[in-house]
């Protein structure tokens, strides 16, 4: 068991409010790239003669579409967390002056 003095000295890590610890612009860019690939794959499948073959094109569509939405959602959560952290840093530095 920890003594009360030891438990007070431990610094608690802040709780992450986002699923991936990657900068939000990278998440958003990845989401946009996957959206373009997925949309193109859907049109290739609908056209009847996919350029890369049926199986790879179907895989791009089935994996890329949900992953695109997940990365978009993750970028929004990460950007919100980054903004809140920047606001807190600004307010703390402003209070010291």
């Amino acid at each position: 068991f920890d003594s009360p003095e030891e438990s007070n000295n431990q610094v608690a890590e802040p709780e992450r409010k986002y699923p991936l610890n990657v900068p939000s612009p990278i998440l958003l860019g990845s989401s946009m790239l996957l959206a373009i690939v997925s949309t193109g794959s859907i049109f290739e499948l609908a056209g009847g003669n996919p350029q890369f073959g049926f199986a790879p094109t179907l895989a791009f569509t089935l994996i890329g579409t949900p992953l695109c939405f997940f990365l978009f959602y993750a970028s929004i959560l990460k950007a919100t967390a980054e903004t809140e952290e920047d606001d807190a840093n600004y307010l703390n530095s402003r209070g010291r002056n």
Side-chain angles (χ1 to χ4, degrees), residues 38-78:
S38 298
T39 303
S41 295
I42 291 170
F43 281 111
E44 285 281 321
L45 289 171
N49 190 15
Q51 184 176 5
F52 297 113
F54 182 78
T57 305
L58 183 63
F60 289 148
T61 302
L62 294 178
I63 294 170
T65 303
L67 190 57
C68 157
F69 291 121
F70 171 74
L71 290 176
F72 183 74
Y73 178 69
S75 72
I76 292 171
L77 294 179
K78 178 65 175 174

Side-chain angles (χ1 to χ4, degrees), residues 6-18:
E6 289 177 12
S7 63
N8 289 338
N9 292 335
Q10 294 176 354
V11 178
E13 286 189 32
E15 183 182 332
R16 286 188 344 172
K17 297 179 182 178
Y18 45 89

